[in-house]
Amino acid sequence: MGWRFRKSIDILGLFRINFSKSGVGFSWGVPGYRVTKMANGRTRKTVSIPGTGVSHVSETGKNKKSEAPRSITAKKKK
């Protein structure tokens, strides 16, 4: 298991700036509903019932599975 890093700064309780190894993201919301723009460009929406541990998360944006794999091109011989 590798090392992870994450730090958040709350601003007025509604807005949060998130720092992680992959970059900076931000989120806003109230208890029970939060929208997060992650460092990788994806957007996550979380709806929950506070105090119960029950929540639903949906993500939109870039999808790693649909990205074409990077190919290594050989140098052309002259």
Side-chain angles (χ1 to χ4, degrees):
M1 189 173 238
W3 290 92
R4 297 174 70 177
F5 169 76
R6 183 178 171 278
K7 174 67 178 167
S8 294
I9 298 174
D10 280 332
I11 301 172
L12 301 175
L14 299 175
F15 189 76
R16 184 181 298 158
I17 300 173
N18 306 304
F19 302 94
S20 69
K21 188 169 66 171
S22 59
V24 178
F26 55 91
S27 63
W28 62 94
V30 294
Y33 183 75
R34 180 160 290 274
V35 177
T36 304
K37 183 72 172 177
M38 297 185 289
N40 62 9
R42 299 183 81 175
T43 301
R44 175 181 291 160
K45 293 180 184 175
T46 306
V47 179
S48 65
I49 302 170
T52 64
V54 176
S55 64
H56 179 268
V57 177
S58 62
E59 289 187 11
T60 59
K62 298 177 184 177
N63 187 355
K64 290 184 178 183
K65 291 181 181 179
S66 66
E67 289 179 356
R70 293 184 182 179
S71 61
I72 300 173
T73 56
K75 292 182 179 179
K76 293 181 180 178
K77 294 182 181 179
K78 290 184 180 181

Short mmCIF file of all heavy atoms in Angstrom, two decimals, residues 11-61:
data_model
loop_
_atom_site.label_atom_id
_atom_site.label_comp_id
_atom_site.label_asym_id
_atom_site.label_seq_id
_atom_site.Cartn_x
_atom_site.Cartn_y
_atom_site.Cartn_z
N ILE A 11 -13.89 26.94 4.34
CA ILE A 11 -14.14 28.37 4.29
C ILE A 11 -15.64 28.57 4.52
O ILE A 11 -16.46 28.18 3.69
CB ILE A 11 -13.72 28.96 2.93
CG1 ILE A 11 -12.23 28.70 2.70
CG2 ILE A 11 -14.04 30.45 2.85
CD1 ILE A 11 -11.75 29.07 1.32
N LEU A 12 -16.00 29.13 5.66
CA LEU A 12 -17.39 29.40 6.04
C LEU A 12 -18.27 28.16 6.11
O LEU A 12 -19.48 28.25 6.08
CB LEU A 12 -18.01 30.42 5.09
CG LEU A 12 -17.32 31.77 5.00
CD1 LEU A 12 -17.98 32.62 3.92
CD2 LEU A 12 -17.35 32.48 6.33
N GLY A 13 -17.68 26.97 6.13
CA GLY A 13 -18.45 25.75 6.26
C GLY A 13 -19.14 25.29 4.98
O GLY A 13 -19.56 24.16 4.86
N LEU A 14 -19.26 26.16 3.99
CA LEU A 14 -19.94 25.81 2.74
C LEU A 14 -18.95 25.46 1.63
O LEU A 14 -19.29 24.74 0.71
CB LEU A 14 -20.83 26.95 2.26
CG LEU A 14 -21.96 27.36 3.19
CD1 LEU A 14 -22.69 28.57 2.64
CD2 LEU A 14 -22.92 26.20 3.39
N PHE A 15 -17.76 26.00 1.69
CA PHE A 15 -16.77 25.85 0.64
C PHE A 15 -15.52 25.20 1.21
O PHE A 15 -15.12 25.50 2.33
CB PHE A 15 -16.43 27.23 0.06
CG PHE A 15 -15.57 27.18 -1.17
CD1 PHE A 15 -16.11 26.84 -2.40
CD2 PHE A 15 -14.24 27.49 -1.10
CE1 PHE A 15 -15.32 26.80 -3.54
CE2 PHE A 15 -13.44 27.45 -2.22
CZ PHE A 15 -13.98 27.11 -3.45
N ARG A 16 -14.89 24.31 0.46
CA ARG A 16 -13.70 23.59 0.93
C ARG A 16 -12.67 23.52 -0.20
O ARG A 16 -13.02 23.18 -1.33
CB ARG A 16 -14.09 22.19 1.37
CG ARG A 16 -12.98 21.39 1.96
CD ARG A 16 -13.44 20.00 2.35
NE ARG A 16 -14.47 20.06 3.37
CZ ARG A 16 -15.34 19.11 3.62
NH1 ARG A 16 -15.33 17.99 2.92
NH2 ARG A 16 -16.23 19.23 4.56
N ILE A 17 -11.43 23.83 0.10
CA ILE A 17 -10.33 23.65 -0.85
C ILE A 17 -9.58 22.41 -0.43
O ILE A 17 -9.21 22.26 0.74
CB ILE A 17 -9.39 24.87 -0.85
CG1 ILE A 17 -10.17 26.13 -1.25
CG2 ILE A 17 -8.23 24.64 -1.82
CD1 ILE A 17 -9.36 27.40 -1.13
N ASN A 18 -9.37 21.49 -1.37
CA ASN A 18 -8.74 20.21 -1.08
C ASN A 18 -7.38 20.12 -1.77
O ASN A 18 -7.28 20.35 -2.98
CB ASN A 18 -9.64 19.07 -1.60
CG ASN A 18 -11.04 19.16 -1.06
OD1 ASN A 18 -11.24 19.20 0.14
ND2 ASN A 18 -12.00 19.23 -1.95
N PHE A 19 -6.36 19.79 -1.01
CA PHE A 19 -5.02 19.60 -1.54
C PHE A 19 -4.66 18.12 -1.44
O PHE A 19 -4.84 17.51 -0.39
CB PHE A 19 -4.00 20.41 -0.72
CG PHE A 19 -4.29 21.89 -0.69
CD1 PHE A 19 -5.03 22.44 0.34
CD2 PHE A 19 -3.84 22.71 -1.71
CE1 PHE A 19 -5.30 23.79 0.37
CE2 PHE A 19 -4.11 24.07 -1.69
CZ PHE A 19 -4.84 24.61 -0.65
N SER A 20 -4.18 17.56 -2.54
CA SER A 20 -3.78 16.16 -2.52
C SER A 20 -2.52 15.99 -3.35
O SER A 20 -2.05 16.94 -4.00
CB SER A 20 -4.89 15.26 -3.08
OG SER A 20 -5.04 15.48 -4.47
N LYS A 21 -2.00 14.79 -3.37
CA LYS A 21 -0.81 14.49 -4.14
C LYS A 21 -1.04 14.74 -5.63
O LYS A 21 -0.14 15.15 -6.35
CB LYS A 21 -0.42 13.03 -3.90
CG LYS A 21 0.91 12.64 -4.50
CD LYS A 21 1.38 11.28 -4.00
CE LYS A 21 0.47 10.18 -4.47
NZ LYS A 21 1.01 8.85 -4.18
N SER A 22 -2.29 14.55 -6.10
CA SER A 22 -2.59 14.72 -7.52
C SER A 22 -2.93 16.16 -7.90
O SER A 22 -3.08 16.46 -9.08
CB SER A 22 -3.73 13.79 -7.93
OG SER A 22 -4.87 14.07 -7.17
N GLY A 23 -3.10 17.07 -6.94
CA GLY A 23 -3.37 18.46 -7.25
C GLY A 23 -4.35 19.11 -6.31
O GLY A 23 -4.58 18.63 -5.20
N VAL A 24 -4.96 20.20 -6.77
CA VAL A 24 -5.89 20.98 -5.96
C VAL A 24 -7.30 20.82 -6.51
O VAL A 24 -7.52 20.89 -7.71
CB VAL A 24 -5.50 22.47 -5.97
CG1 VAL A 24 -6.50 23.29 -5.16
CG2 VAL A 24 -4.10 22.67 -5.43
N GLY A 25 -8.26 20.59 -5.63
CA GLY A 25 -9.66 20.50 -6.00
C GLY A 25 -10.46 21.38 -5.07
O GLY A 25 -9.92 21.99 -4.15
N PHE A 26 -11.75 21.47 -5.32
CA PHE A 26 -12.59 22.25 -4.43
C PHE A 26 -13.98 21.65 -4.38
O PHE A 26 -14.39 20.91 -5.27
CB PHE A 26 -12.64 23.73 -4.85
CG PHE A 26 -13.09 23.95 -6.26
CD1 PHE A 26 -14.42 24.14 -6.57
CD2 PHE A 26 -12.17 23.96 -7.30
CE1 PHE A 26 -14.84 24.34 -7.86
CE2 PHE A 26 -12.57 24.17 -8.61
CZ PHE A 26 -13.90 24.35 -8.90
N SER A 27 -14.70 21.97 -3.31
CA SER A 27 -16.06 21.46 -3.16
C SER A 27 -16.90 22.49 -2.42
O SER A 27 -16.39 23.36 -1.74
CB SER A 27 -16.07 20.12 -2.42
OG SER A 27 -15.56 20.25 -1.12
N TRP A 28 -18.20 22.37 -2.61
CA TRP A 28 -19.15 23.23 -1.91
C TRP A 28 -20.41 22.43 -1.63
O TRP A 28 -20.70 21.46 -2.31
CB TRP A 28 -19.46 24.48 -2.73
CG TRP A 28 -20.10 24.19 -4.05
CD1 TRP A 28 -21.43 24.17 -4.33
CD2 TRP A 28 -19.45 23.86 -5.27
NE1 TRP A 28 -21.64 23.84 -5.65
CE2 TRP A 28 -20.42 23.65 -6.25
CE3 TRP A 28 -18.12 23.71 -5.63
CZ2 TRP A 28 -20.12 23.30 -7.56
CZ3 TRP A 28 -17.82 23.36 -6.94
CH2 TRP A 28 -18.82 23.17 -7.88
N GLY A 29 -21.11 22.82 -0.60
CA GLY A 29 -22.34 22.13 -0.25
C GLY A 29 -22.74 22.33 1.18
O GLY A 29 -22.12 23.08 1.93
N VAL A 30 -23.80 21.64 1.54
CA VAL A 30 -24.36 21.69 2.89
C VAL A 30 -24.46 20.25 3.39
O VAL A 30 -24.32 19.32 2.60
CB VAL A 30 -25.76 22.35 2.88
CG1 VAL A 30 -25.66 23.81 2.48
CG2 VAL A 30 -26.70 21.61 1.95
N PRO A 31 -24.70 20.05 4.68
CA PRO A 31 -24.86 18.68 5.15
C PRO A 31 -25.96 17.96 4.37
O PRO A 31 -27.07 18.48 4.23
CB PRO A 31 -25.25 18.85 6.62
CG PRO A 31 -24.63 20.15 7.02
CD PRO A 31 -24.74 21.01 5.79
N GLY A 32 -25.61 16.84 3.78
CA GLY A 32 -26.56 16.08 3.00
C GLY A 32 -26.37 16.20 1.50
O GLY A 32 -26.84 15.37 0.73
N TYR A 33 -25.66 17.25 1.04
CA TYR A 33 -25.42 17.43 -0.40
C TYR A 33 -24.10 18.16 -0.61
O TYR A 33 -23.88 19.23 -0.03
CB TYR A 33 -26.55 18.23 -1.04
CG TYR A 33 -26.38 18.38 -2.54
CD1 TYR A 33 -26.64 17.32 -3.40
CD2 TYR A 33 -25.94 19.57 -3.08
CE1 TYR A 33 -26.48 17.45 -4.76
CE2 TYR A 33 -25.78 19.72 -4.45
CZ TYR A 33 -26.04 18.65 -5.29
OH TYR A 33 -25.86 18.78 -6.64
N ARG A 34 -23.22 17.60 -1.43
CA ARG A 34 -21.93 18.23 -1.70
C ARG A 34 -21.54 17.96 -3.14
O ARG A 34 -21.72 16.87 -3.66
CB ARG A 34 -20.85 17.68 -0.75
CG ARG A 34 -19.48 18.29 -0.98
CD ARG A 34 -18.58 18.11 0.22
NE ARG A 34 -19.01 18.93 1.35
CZ ARG A 34 -18.66 20.20 1.53
NH1 ARG A 34 -17.92 20.82 0.66
NH2 ARG A 34 -19.09 20.86 2.58
N VAL A 35 -20.99 18.98 -3.80
CA VAL A 35 -20.47 18.88 -5.16
C VAL A 35 -18.96 19.11 -5.09
O VAL A 35 -18.52 20.11 -4.50
CB VAL A 35 -21.12 19.92 -6.11
CG1 VAL A 35 -20.50 19.84 -7.49
CG2 VAL A 35 -22.62 19.70 -6.18
N THR A 36 -18.19 18.21 -5.68
CA THR A 36 -16.74 18.29 -5.62
C THR A 36 -16.15 18.30 -7.02
O THR A 36 -16.51 17.47 -7.85
CB THR A 36 -16.16 17.07 -4.87
OG1 THR A 36 -16.76 17.01 -3.57
CG2 THR A 36 -14.66 17.17 -4.74
N LYS A 37 -15.27 19.25 -7.28
CA LYS A 37 -14.50 19.28 -8.52
C LYS A 37 -13.11 18.78 -8.14
O LYS A 37 -12.38 19.45 -7.41
CB LYS A 37 -14.44 20.71 -9.07
CG LYS A 37 -13.74 20.83 -10.37
CD LYS A 37 -14.57 20.24 -11.49
CE LYS A 37 -13.90 20.55 -12.82
NZ LYS A 37 -14.57 19.97 -13.94
N MET A 38 -12.78 17.57 -8.60
CA MET A 38 -11.54 16.93 -8.19
C MET A 38 -10.35 17.42 -9.01
O MET A 38 -10.51 18.00 -10.09
CB MET A 38 -11.68 15.41 -8.30
CG MET A 38 -12.76 14.87 -7.37
SD MET A 38 -12.89 13.09 -7.36
CE MET A 38 -13.59 12.76 -8.95
N ALA A 39 -9.14 17.18 -8.52
CA ALA A 39 -7.92 17.62 -9.18
C ALA A 39 -7.77 17.01 -10.57
O ALA A 39 -7.17 17.61 -11.44
CB ALA A 39 -6.71 17.27 -8.31
N ASN A 40 -8.34 15.83 -10.81
CA ASN A 40 -8.21 15.18 -12.11
C ASN A 40 -9.25 15.66 -13.12
O ASN A 40 -9.34 15.14 -14.22
CB ASN A 40 -8.27 13.67 -11.97
CG ASN A 40 -9.58 13.17 -11.41
OD1 ASN A 40 -10.53 13.92 -11.27
ND2 ASN A 40 -9.64 11.89 -11.10
N GLY A 41 -10.08 16.64 -12.75
CA GLY A 41 -11.06 17.20 -13.67
C GLY A 41 -12.45 16.60 -13.57
O GLY A 41 -13.39 17.10 -14.18
N ARG A 42 -12.61 15.55 -12.80
CA ARG A 42 -13.92 14.92 -12.64
C ARG A 42 -14.76 15.68 -11.64
O ARG A 42 -14.25 16.38 -10.77
CB ARG A 42 -13.75 13.47 -12.19
CG ARG A 42 -12.96 12.66 -13.22
CD ARG A 42 -12.86 11.25 -12.82
NE ARG A 42 -14.13 10.63 -13.24
CZ ARG A 42 -14.38 9.35 -13.14
NH1 ARG A 42 -13.51 8.54 -12.62
NH2 ARG A 42 -15.53 8.87 -13.56
N THR A 43 -16.07 15.53 -11.75
CA THR A 43 -17.01 16.15 -10.81
C THR A 43 -17.75 15.05 -10.07
O THR A 43 -18.24 14.10 -10.68
CB THR A 43 -18.02 17.04 -11.56
OG1 THR A 43 -17.30 18.05 -12.27
CG2 THR A 43 -18.99 17.70 -10.59
N ARG A 44 -17.81 15.18 -8.76
CA ARG A 44 -18.48 14.18 -7.92
C ARG A 44 -19.61 14.86 -7.17
O ARG A 44 -19.42 15.92 -6.58
CB ARG A 44 -17.49 13.59 -6.93
CG ARG A 44 -18.12 12.62 -5.94
CD ARG A 44 -17.10 12.10 -4.95
NE ARG A 44 -16.18 11.23 -5.65
CZ ARG A 44 -14.97 10.91 -5.20
NH1 ARG A 44 -14.54 11.41 -4.07
NH2 ARG A 44 -14.20 10.09 -5.88
N LYS A 45 -20.80 14.26 -7.18
CA LYS A 45 -21.95 14.76 -6.42
C LYS A 45 -22.29 13.71 -5.37
O LYS A 45 -22.43 12.53 -5.70
CB LYS A 45 -23.14 15.00 -7.33
CG LYS A 45 -22.92 16.13 -8.31
CD LYS A 45 -24.11 16.34 -9.19
CE LYS A 45 -23.80 17.42 -10.21
NZ LYS A 45 -24.89 17.58 -11.17
N THR A 46 -22.40 14.14 -4.13
CA THR A 46 -22.70 13.24 -3.03
C THR A 46 -23.97 13.69 -2.33
O THR A 46 -24.09 14.84 -1.93
CB THR A 46 -21.54 13.22 -2.01
OG1 THR A 46 -20.32 12.92 -2.69
CG2 THR A 46 -21.78 12.20 -0.91
N VAL A 47 -24.91 12.77 -2.21
CA VAL A 47 -26.16 13.01 -1.48
C VAL A 47 -26.17 12.01 -0.33
O VAL A 47 -25.94 10.82 -0.53
CB VAL A 47 -27.39 12.78 -2.38
CG1 VAL A 47 -28.66 13.00 -1.60
CG2 VAL A 47 -27.34 13.69 -3.60
N SER A 48 -26.41 12.50 0.89
CA SER A 48 -26.36 11.60 2.05
C SER A 48 -27.44 11.94 3.06
O SER A 48 -28.05 13.01 3.01
CB SER A 48 -24.98 11.70 2.72
OG SER A 48 -24.79 12.99 3.26
N ILE A 49 -27.63 11.01 3.97
CA ILE A 49 -28.49 11.23 5.12
C ILE A 49 -27.54 11.42 6.30
O ILE A 49 -26.93 10.45 6.76
CB ILE A 49 -29.45 10.04 5.37
CG1 ILE A 49 -30.31 9.78 4.12
CG2 ILE A 49 -30.31 10.31 6.60
CD1 ILE A 49 -31.10 8.49 4.19
N PRO A 50 -27.34 12.67 6.75
CA PRO A 50 -26.35 12.95 7.79
C PRO A 50 -26.54 12.09 9.04
O PRO A 50 -27.66 11.85 9.48
CB PRO A 50 -26.59 14.43 8.11
CG PRO A 50 -27.17 14.99 6.85
CD PRO A 50 -28.04 13.88 6.31
N GLY A 51 -25.42 11.60 9.55
CA GLY A 51 -25.43 10.83 10.78
C GLY A 51 -25.74 9.36 10.62
O GLY A 51 -25.69 8.61 11.59
N THR A 52 -26.05 8.91 9.39
CA THR A 52 -26.41 7.51 9.20
C THR A 52 -25.33 6.70 8.47
O THR A 52 -25.32 5.48 8.54
CB THR A 52 -27.69 7.38 8.36
OG1 THR A 52 -27.45 7.90 7.06
CG2 THR A 52 -28.84 8.12 9.01
N GLY A 53 -24.46 7.38 7.73
CA GLY A 53 -23.48 6.67 6.92
C GLY A 53 -24.04 6.23 5.58
O GLY A 53 -23.35 5.59 4.79
N VAL A 54 -25.28 6.59 5.28
CA VAL A 54 -25.92 6.23 4.02
C VAL A 54 -25.73 7.38 3.03
O VAL A 54 -26.04 8.53 3.34
CB VAL A 54 -27.44 5.97 4.21
CG1 VAL A 54 -28.11 5.70 2.89
CG2 VAL A 54 -27.64 4.83 5.19
N SER A 55 -25.18 7.06 1.85
CA SER A 55 -24.96 8.10 0.85
C SER A 55 -24.98 7.52 -0.55
O SER A 55 -24.85 6.30 -0.75
CB SER A 55 -23.62 8.80 1.09
OG SER A 55 -22.55 7.90 0.92
N HIS A 56 -25.15 8.40 -1.53
CA HIS A 56 -25.09 8.02 -2.94
C HIS A 56 -24.12 8.98 -3.62
O HIS A 56 -24.20 10.19 -3.44
CB HIS A 56 -26.46 8.13 -3.60
CG HIS A 56 -26.41 7.77 -5.04
ND1 HIS A 56 -26.21 8.69 -6.03
CD2 HIS A 56 -26.53 6.56 -5.65
CE1 HIS A 56 -26.21 8.07 -7.20
NE2 HIS A 56 -26.39 6.79 -6.99
N VAL A 57 -23.18 8.42 -4.40
CA VAL A 57 -22.17 9.22 -5.07
C VAL A 57 -22.26 8.98 -6.57
O VAL A 57 -22.36 7.84 -7.01
CB VAL A 57 -20.75 8.83 -4.58
CG1 VAL A 57 -19.68 9.61 -5.33
CG2 VAL A 57 -20.62 9.05 -3.09
N SER A 58 -22.24 10.06 -7.35
CA SER A 58 -22.17 9.93 -8.81
C SER A 58 -21.03 10.82 -9.31
O SER A 58 -20.78 11.88 -8.75
CB SER A 58 -23.49 10.34 -9.45
OG SER A 58 -23.78 11.69 -9.18
N GLU A 59 -20.34 10.34 -10.35
CA GLU A 59 -19.21 11.08 -10.91
C GLU A 59 -19.42 11.30 -12.39
O GLU A 59 -19.97 10.45 -13.08
CB GLU A 59 -17.90 10.33 -10.69
CG GLU A 59 -17.45 10.31 -9.26
CD GLU A 59 -16.07 9.71 -9.08
OE1 GLU A 59 -15.36 9.50 -10.09
OE2 GLU A 59 -15.70 9.46 -7.93
N THR A 60 -18.98 12.46 -12.87
CA THR A 60 -19.02 12.78 -14.28
C THR A 60 -17.68 13.37 -14.68
O THR A 60 -16.91 13.78 -13.84
CB THR A 60 -20.14 13.80 -14.60
OG1 THR A 60 -19.89 14.99 -13.85
CG2 THR A 60 -21.50 13.26 -14.27
N GLY A 61 -17.44 13.41 -15.96
CA GLY A 61 -16.21 14.00 -16.45
C GLY A 61 -15.34 12.96 -17.12
O GLY A 61 -15.84 11.98 -17.68
#
